[in-house]
């Protein structure tokens, strides 16, 4: 009799345990929401979509806003499916994190407005304003000789990333000290100053090309800067010192996109 009673108790405990497990699985599954945004499927948790009260997504989940369903029973939202990944990442992270080179600020701002996410709208606006300010500011790089300031080149551009590209290339090769390249130089935010600058004599060469071929003399460096700029989509606005007659003999180059 005791064995039968014990067996019944175990069976009851198993049923209770299975029932609780089933309820937990059911709750977990109902907490997962699948959205069809412009043909792109996204699966996320209910708590993520309801993070910001009074938002469009929170209204859908809590039944305040009517939303159609697709053929598979998923919520269908007729918006930009690719940009929605940034909306969802914002809901997950609580901050605006965009990939390098992102250029769709205005479109993302429109999506933020549609989904009624004021915090995201303000973050996108702030990012766009900073980019516009950076574009208006002219950045320059000066490559000069510490002994002779007349020997040198200034490169002006309204895109800091282009200046950084040229600068990093020169610094990288300088540190490698290839083929008699000047070993002593100092670097600041906008200036690379060599103890012994690139002269026209043989044997004083600077590597600048991406294929590691040599660039000789300051004049060739100017041409290489121009070619790098054109490759990156910039145009030569003007030679800032035209008094010397040609770009080759000028002391500065100005690029703009």
């Amino acid at each position: 009799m005791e064995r039968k009673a014990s067996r019944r108790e175990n069976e009851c405990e198993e049923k209770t345990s299975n029932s609780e497990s089933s309820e937990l699985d059911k709750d977990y599954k109902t907490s997962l929401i699948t959205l069809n945004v412009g043909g792109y499927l996204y699966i996320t948790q209910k708590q993520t979509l309801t993070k910001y009260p009074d938002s469009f997504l929170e209204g859908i989940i809590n039944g305040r806003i009517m939303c159609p369903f697709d053929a598979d029973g998923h919520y269908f939202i007729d918006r930009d499916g690719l940009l929605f990944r940034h909306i969802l990442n914002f809901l997950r992270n609580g901050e605006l994190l965009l990939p390098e080179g992102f250029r769709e600020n205005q479109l993302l701002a429109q999506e933020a407005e549609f989904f009624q996410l004021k915090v995201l709208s303000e973050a996108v606006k702030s990012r766009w304003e900073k980019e516009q300010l950076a574009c208006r500011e002219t950045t320059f790089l000066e490559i000069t000789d510490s002994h002779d300031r007349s020997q040198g080149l200034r490169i002006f551009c309204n895109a800091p990333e282009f200046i950084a590209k040229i600068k990093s290339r020169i610094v990288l090769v300088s540190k490698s000290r290839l083929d008699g390249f000047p070993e002593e130089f100092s670097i600041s935010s906008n200036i690379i100053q060599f103890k012994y600058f690139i002269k026209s004599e043989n044997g004083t060469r600077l590597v600048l090309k991406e294929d590691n071929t040599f660039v000789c003399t300051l004049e060739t460096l100017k041409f290489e800067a121009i070619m790098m700029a054109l490759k990156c989509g910039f145009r030569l606005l003007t030679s800032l010192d035209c008094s010397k007659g040609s770009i080759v003999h000028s002391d500065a180059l100005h690029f703009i996109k």
Side-chain angles (χ1 to χ4, degrees):
M1 293 291 291
E2 290 180 358
R3 289 183 179 179
K4 289 183 179 180
S6 178
R7 187 178 298 172
R8 286 176 182 173
E9 288 178 0
N10 290 336
E11 289 177 353
C12 288
E13 288 177 0
E14 287 179 3
K15 288 181 180 179
T16 302
S17 177
N18 290 337
S19 177
E20 291 176 354
S21 178
S22 178
E23 288 297 322
L24 289 174
D25 289 342
K26 185 178 179 181
D27 291 341
Y28 179 73
K29 289 178 180 178
T30 55
S31 71
L32 294 179
I33 305 295
T34 301
L35 301 175
N36 181 342
V37 184
Y40 291 82
L41 293 182
Y42 292 90
I43 300 177
T44 187
Q45 297 186 60
K46 180 179 179 180
Q47 65 188 44
T48 301
L49 299 176
T50 57
K51 186 173 184 178
Y52 290 90
D54 301 324
S55 69
F56 181 82
L57 293 169
E58 183 272 334
I60 288 177
I61 301 304
N62 291 331
R64 292 189 299 101
I65 299 175
M66 298 298 295
C67 181
F69 296 90
D70 65 11
D72 295 318
H74 306 137
Y75 289 107
F76 177 76
I77 304 175
D78 190 17
R79 301 299 296 183
D80 192 318
L82 285 174
L83 282 178
F84 186 74
R85 65 182 282 241
H86 305 304
I87 302 290
L88 192 54
N89 282 334
F90 175 78
L91 294 175
R92 290 166 174 162
N93 302 317
E95 60 179 321
L96 180 61
L97 300 172
L98 296 173
E100 184 177 351
F102 183 81
R103 290 291 182 268
E104 297 183 303
N105 291 304
Q106 289 180 308
L107 289 176
L108 184 56
Q110 289 181 346
E111 296 303 297
E113 289 290 336
F114 174 83
F115 288 103
Q116 300 170 19
L117 294 167
K118 185 178 180 182
V119 179
L120 177 57
S121 296
E122 292 174 350
V124 175
K125 181 180 178 182
S126 176
R127 182 181 189 275
W128 184 78
E129 288 176 347
K130 288 179 180 178
E131 286 186 351
Q132 291 297 108
L133 181 62
C135 287
R136 288 194 295 267
E137 293 179 348
T138 298
T139 305
F140 75 92
L141 173 65
E142 182 177 348
I143 308 167
T144 185
D145 186 328
S146 59
H147 294 358
D148 185 359
R149 299 282 296 190
S150 66
Q151 289 288 330
L153 171 66
R154 276 195 170 196
I155 301 174
F156 293 83
C157 185
N158 65 338
E161 64 272 12
F162 174 69
I163 294 296
K165 182 177 181 179
I166 293 181
K167 180 180 177 180
S168 63
R169 181 64 179 163
I170 294 173
V171 171
L172 176 65
V173 175
S174 301
K175 288 183 177 179
S176 67
R177 303 178 179 179
L178 294 176
D179 194 31
F181 194 83
E183 296 183 1
E184 297 183 30
F185 62 97
S186 60
I187 306 170
S188 66
S189 58
N190 295 97
I191 299 176
I192 300 178
Q193 191 173 73
F194 293 96
K195 182 176 180 180
Y196 300 104
F197 194 57
I198 309 161
K199 306 292 183 178
S200 298
E201 294 82 11
N202 294 330
T204 52
R205 304 188 288 183
L206 169 68
V207 178
L208 185 64
K209 288 185 176 180
E210 293 181 1
D211 60 0
N212 287 333
T213 54
F214 285 107
V215 175
C216 304
T217 76
L218 185 59
E219 288 70 25
T220 311
L221 173 58
K222 294 174 187 178
F223 280 118
E224 284 300 319
I226 294 173
M227 294 305 296
M228 287 179 67
L230 294 178
K231 185 177 180 180
C232 293
F234 295 91
R235 60 189 176 90
L236 179 62
L237 181 65
T238 182
S239 167
L240 295 186
D241 182 4
C242 297
S243 62
K244 297 188 178 181
S246 70
I247 294 176
V248 176
H249 297 99
S250 66
D251 296 327
L253 302 172
H254 192 177
F255 301 106
I256 192 170
K257 183 174 284 189

